[in-house]
Amino acid sequence: MKIRRSWYELLKDETEKDYFKALQEFLSNERTRYTVYPEDDCVFNALNYVPFDKVKVVIIGQDPYHEPNQAHGLSFSVLDPSPLPPSLVNIYSEIENDLNIKCSSSGDLSRWAKQGVLLLNTTLTVRRGQAMSHKGKGWEEFTRKIIELLANRKEPMVFMLWGSHAGQFADIIPSQHLVLKAPHPSPLSAYRGFFGCKHFSKCNEFLEKHGQTPIDWH
């Protein structure tokens, strides 16, 4: 496993549990028989881009994109030159309306991750062409542990919880953090309140209030 040391020290005990060993065996078999996304060395990119103590914002997705040349370990993000997925189009639209800026044409959100935005899917792998195919195999327990570790940090952070799937984590996040909830940015639900939620300006106001550099969301 290629996990940044600051995270591995915190998650080492988790990786030795039976469920995680079973998950790794499942993944090994899956990669032997099918194409699995993202590539093996990108699975933990969300953690590898942002050290534990540098996380300022957490955005929780579900599972990786399941078509070629898309997933690279960051939620909602796609590799260039892939076209922007519909949810990311809506995210950019909300950013532009909220902050009155023009977003990049690139769907690669590593530029956010490098500023302290943890782009974490709750399921970290998927079989090609089969959305949610690795759901219920153990990833959810592992990523919930990650969210719990962050929630227990004293330093204030922003948690953006979009849709009911991400919203389930609200109950474990203490009051020193800012929890921003909205419908998912998917075209199926964005018009129910994601558009106009102003999460990005609220996030930056909170960070500045607590002496942190705001995120450049372009």
mmCIF file of all heavy atoms in Angstrom, residues 92 95-103 216-218:
data_model
loop_
_atom_site.group_PDB
_atom_site.id
_atom_site.type_symbol
_atom_site.label_atom_id
_atom_site.label_comp_id
_atom_site.label_asym_id
_atom_site.label_seq_id
_atom_site.Cartn_x
_atom_site.Cartn_y
_atom_site.Cartn_z
ATOM 1 N N TYR A 92 -18.559 23.347 -10.668
ATOM 2 C CA TYR A 92 -17.923 24.542 -11.229
ATOM 3 C C TYR A 92 -18.934 25.676 -11.395
ATOM 4 O O TYR A 92 -18.616 26.847 -11.157
ATOM 5 C CB TYR A 92 -17.293 24.208 -12.580
ATOM 6 C CG TYR A 92 -15.951 23.513 -12.520
ATOM 7 C CD1 TYR A 92 -15.399 23.098 -11.316
ATOM 8 C CD2 TYR A 92 -15.221 23.273 -13.676
ATOM 9 C CE1 TYR A 92 -14.166 22.464 -11.270
ATOM 10 C CE2 TYR A 92 -13.984 22.647 -13.656
ATOM 11 C CZ TYR A 92 -13.460 22.233 -12.440
ATOM 12 O OH TYR A 92 -12.235 21.611 -12.399
ATOM 13 N N ILE A 95 -19.493 27.255 -8.039
ATOM 14 C CA ILE A 95 -18.325 28.054 -7.659
ATOM 15 C C ILE A 95 -18.324 29.394 -8.392
ATOM 16 O O ILE A 95 -18.109 30.460 -7.787
ATOM 17 C CB ILE A 95 -17.020 27.286 -7.974
ATOM 18 C CG1 ILE A 95 -16.861 26.099 -7.024
ATOM 19 C CG2 ILE A 95 -15.804 28.209 -7.871
ATOM 20 C CD1 ILE A 95 -15.729 25.162 -7.399
ATOM 21 N N GLU A 96 -18.575 29.351 -9.694
ATOM 22 C CA GLU A 96 -18.552 30.578 -10.490
ATOM 23 C C GLU A 96 -19.618 31.567 -10.042
ATOM 24 O O GLU A 96 -19.371 32.775 -9.938
ATOM 25 C CB GLU A 96 -18.695 30.224 -11.971
ATOM 26 C CG GLU A 96 -17.471 29.495 -12.506
ATOM 27 C CD GLU A 96 -17.598 29.092 -13.971
ATOM 28 O OE1 GLU A 96 -18.702 29.270 -14.544
ATOM 29 O OE2 GLU A 96 -16.602 28.595 -14.542
ATOM 30 N N ASN A 97 -20.815 31.053 -9.736
ATOM 31 C CA ASN A 97 -21.895 31.928 -9.280
ATOM 32 C C ASN A 97 -21.660 32.429 -7.861
ATOM 33 O O ASN A 97 -21.992 33.569 -7.535
ATOM 34 C CB ASN A 97 -23.237 31.188 -9.356
ATOM 35 C CG ASN A 97 -23.703 30.974 -10.777
ATOM 36 O OD1 ASN A 97 -23.438 31.800 -11.646
ATOM 37 N ND2 ASN A 97 -24.376 29.869 -11.027
ATOM 38 N N ASP A 98 -21.088 31.587 -7.031
ATOM 39 C CA ASP A 98 -20.861 31.930 -5.624
ATOM 40 C C ASP A 98 -19.728 32.941 -5.474
ATOM 41 O O ASP A 98 -19.847 33.928 -4.739
ATOM 42 C CB ASP A 98 -20.541 30.642 -4.854
ATOM 43 C CG ASP A 98 -20.346 30.856 -3.361
ATOM 44 O OD1 ASP A 98 -20.693 31.942 -2.848
ATOM 45 O OD2 ASP A 98 -19.863 29.922 -2.688
ATOM 46 N N LEU A 99 -18.628 32.707 -6.173
ATOM 47 C CA LEU A 99 -17.424 33.507 -5.975
ATOM 48 C C LEU A 99 -17.154 34.507 -7.096
ATOM 49 O O LEU A 99 -16.197 35.277 -7.019
ATOM 50 C CB LEU A 99 -16.214 32.571 -5.819
ATOM 51 C CG LEU A 99 -16.279 31.583 -4.650
ATOM 52 C CD1 LEU A 99 -15.064 30.657 -4.668
ATOM 53 C CD2 LEU A 99 -16.365 32.309 -3.316
ATOM 54 N N ASN A 100 -17.986 34.462 -8.142
ATOM 55 C CA ASN A 100 -17.810 35.361 -9.287
ATOM 56 C C ASN A 100 -16.417 35.219 -9.892
ATOM 57 O O ASN A 100 -15.709 36.198 -10.135
ATOM 58 C CB ASN A 100 -18.078 36.817 -8.883
ATOM 59 C CG ASN A 100 -18.267 37.719 -10.098
ATOM 60 O OD1 ASN A 100 -18.707 37.260 -11.148
ATOM 61 N ND2 ASN A 100 -17.925 38.991 -9.954
ATOM 62 N N ILE A 101 -16.028 33.964 -10.102
ATOM 63 C CA ILE A 101 -14.751 33.665 -10.745
ATOM 64 C C ILE A 101 -14.996 32.693 -11.886
ATOM 65 O O ILE A 101 -16.078 32.116 -12.003
ATOM 66 C CB ILE A 101 -13.729 33.043 -9.755
ATOM 67 C CG1 ILE A 101 -14.272 31.706 -9.194
ATOM 68 C CG2 ILE A 101 -13.386 34.015 -8.633
ATOM 69 C CD1 ILE A 101 -13.266 30.952 -8.337
ATOM 70 N N LYS A 102 -13.991 32.505 -12.726
ATOM 71 C CA LYS A 102 -14.072 31.538 -13.808
ATOM 72 C C LYS A 102 -13.227 30.327 -13.454
ATOM 73 O O LYS A 102 -12.029 30.447 -13.174
ATOM 74 C CB LYS A 102 -13.559 32.161 -15.114
ATOM 75 C CG LYS A 102 -13.581 31.210 -16.313
ATOM 76 C CD LYS A 102 -14.998 30.841 -16.692
ATOM 77 C CE LYS A 102 -15.026 29.943 -17.929
ATOM 78 N NZ LYS A 102 -16.393 29.474 -18.239
ATOM 79 N N CYS A 103 -13.840 29.146 -13.441
ATOM 80 C CA CYS A 103 -13.109 27.926 -13.099
ATOM 81 C C CYS A 103 -12.244 27.463 -14.269
ATOM 82 O O CYS A 103 -12.519 27.756 -15.435
ATOM 83 C CB CYS A 103 -14.075 26.806 -12.719
ATOM 84 S SG CYS A 103 -14.838 27.012 -11.106
ATOM 85 N N ASP A 216 -8.184 28.554 -3.131
ATOM 86 C CA ASP A 216 -8.386 29.110 -4.468
ATOM 87 C C ASP A 216 -9.175 28.061 -5.259
ATOM 88 O O ASP A 216 -8.606 27.054 -5.674
ATOM 89 C CB ASP A 216 -7.027 29.403 -5.123
ATOM 90 C CG ASP A 216 -7.159 29.926 -6.538
ATOM 91 O OD1 ASP A 216 -8.299 30.041 -7.038
ATOM 92 O OD2 ASP A 216 -6.121 30.220 -7.159
ATOM 93 N N TRP A 217 -10.455 28.315 -5.468
ATOM 94 C CA TRP A 217 -11.353 27.335 -6.079
ATOM 95 C C TRP A 217 -11.416 27.444 -7.605
ATOM 96 O O TRP A 217 -12.272 26.805 -8.209
ATOM 97 C CB TRP A 217 -12.760 27.492 -5.533
ATOM 98 C CG TRP A 217 -12.926 27.183 -4.072
ATOM 99 C CD1 TRP A 217 -13.143 28.064 -3.065
ATOM 100 C CD2 TRP A 217 -12.919 25.885 -3.459
ATOM 101 N NE1 TRP A 217 -13.264 27.407 -1.853
ATOM 102 C CE2 TRP A 217 -13.129 26.068 -2.075
ATOM 103 C CE3 TRP A 217 -12.753 24.583 -3.949
ATOM 104 C CZ2 TRP A 217 -13.184 25.014 -1.162
ATOM 105 C CZ3 TRP A 217 -12.806 23.534 -3.060
ATOM 106 C CH2 TRP A 217 -13.015 23.739 -1.674
ATOM 107 N N HIS A 218 -10.538 28.205 -8.242
ATOM 108 C CA HIS A 218 -10.666 28.434 -9.678
ATOM 109 C C HIS A 218 -10.647 27.109 -10.468
ATOM 110 O O HIS A 218 -10.070 26.129 -10.006
ATOM 111 C CB HIS A 218 -9.536 29.339 -10.187
ATOM 112 C CG HIS A 218 -8.233 28.641 -10.384
ATOM 113 N ND1 HIS A 218 -7.359 28.409 -9.345
ATOM 114 C CD2 HIS A 218 -7.671 28.104 -11.493
ATOM 115 C CE1 HIS A 218 -6.296 27.776 -9.810
ATOM 116 N NE2 HIS A 218 -6.451 27.558 -11.099
#
